[in-house]
Amino acid sequence: MAQSLNGYISGPDGKRVALSSDEDWKRVLSLREKSDGIIIGKNTVILDDPELKVGGNCKSARIVIDPGLTIDGKNYKILHGERKTLILNEIKDGISGNIQYIKCGTPFDLAKSLEILYSMGYRNLLVEGGKITAQSFLKAGFVDEMYVFIASVILEDGGIRMPAVSSIRRNAVKRITLINGGILLNIDPGEWK
């Protein structure tokens, strides 16, 4: 995740704000290229309309968590292009062009979705989703490594903040790295349970 100095991961009403510096963006692209799939939630698709670009011949799948198929049939960038897009949902299975629908229980079951992805050969997943997606993975204990880039930017009030915890956690940061445009924190994801 990337956040502003005052803790926002987006602008007012969820509006996308470029927080990563050039150096951090290169780090993110490298993580994308090493992953089997990049996971985001439907709200990120609706608010940001990302392509989830990668470099070179990288074939990492774009994976969207969309239990109710809110984005289905719409004209979002993630639903187009040559790379495979998986839509994890609670309604249907099937394939339509480069889009594969995967039913993951009714109601939607995050653990089941990861079991299905694992059975399909997806081992190294990068979660780039917004607050709801990130918090779901963190609270379930499904995060092995967590990085937060704190940009040298202060945003106006009204945006979306980082995921929260239910009580105070201390010594959550494993490593701090100064990079151009901000600070990169390697955080112990177990502190979010």
Side-chain angles (χ1 to χ4, degrees):
M1 298 188 85
Q3 74 168 42
S4 67
L5 285 173
N6 53 338
Y8 290 108
I9 61 173
S10 76
D13 299 322
K15 182 181 176 189
R16 185 184 181 284
V17 177
L19 294 169
S20 289
S21 66
D22 289 343
E23 187 173 344
D24 185 54
W25 185 239
K26 288 176 187 172
R27 180 190 64 82
V28 171
L29 286 175
S30 175
L31 289 172
R32 285 180 178 180
E33 291 170 7
K34 293 174 187 170
S35 71
D36 297 323
I38 306 160
I39 298 177
I40 61 173
K42 68 173 176 67
N43 289 340
T44 298
V45 174
I46 293 166
L47 295 169
D48 293 354
D49 194 17
E51 291 180 68
L52 297 181
K53 292 180 183 179
V54 291
N57 294 320
C58 179
K59 300 295 183 196
S60 60
R62 303 172 295 189
I63 303 170
V64 180
I65 298 174
D66 184 10
L69 293 177
T70 308
I71 66 167
D72 195 30
K74 307 287 189 315
N75 195 25
Y76 294 109
K77 293 174 188 169
I78 202 161
L79 301 176
H80 304 287
E82 296 177 13
R83 280 179 39 233
K84 184 179 218 176
T85 298
L86 307 175
I87 300 181
L88 309 178
N89 68 88
E90 61 184 34
I91 297 171
K92 69 178 181 179
D93 284 314
I95 297 175
S96 176
N98 288 333
I99 300 171
Q100 182 173 359
Y101 298 91
I102 302 171
K103 186 174 180 181
C104 302
T106 306
F108 180 82
D109 185 332
L110 184 60
K112 182 175 182 173
S113 72
L114 293 177
E115 289 171 9
I116 292 168
L117 290 172
Y118 188 85
S119 73
M120 295 172 67
Y122 294 94
R123 302 292 191 269
N124 185 9
L125 300 172
L126 176 63
V127 178
E128 279 194 35
K131 181 177 183 172
I132 294 169
T133 301
Q135 194 152 341
S136 297
F137 275 83
L138 287 164
K139 287 195 172 195
F142 296 151
V143 178
D144 297 319
E145 290 284 328
M146 180 177 179
Y147 294 91
V148 176
F149 176 74
I150 302 176
S152 182
V153 174
I154 299 173
L155 295 180
E156 61 186 302
D157 283 339
I160 297 171
R161 291 194 176 271
M162 285 284 295
V165 294
S166 57
S167 62
I168 295 173
R169 304 291 200 268
R170 303 213 185 268
N171 302 315
V173 177
K174 294 171 21 177
R175 185 173 57 250
I176 300 170
T177 306
L178 293 174
I179 62 176
N180 187 20
I183 300 169
L184 182 64
L185 303 177
N186 180 342
I187 296 174
D188 179 354
E191 293 301 319
W192 249 267
K193 288 184 182 179

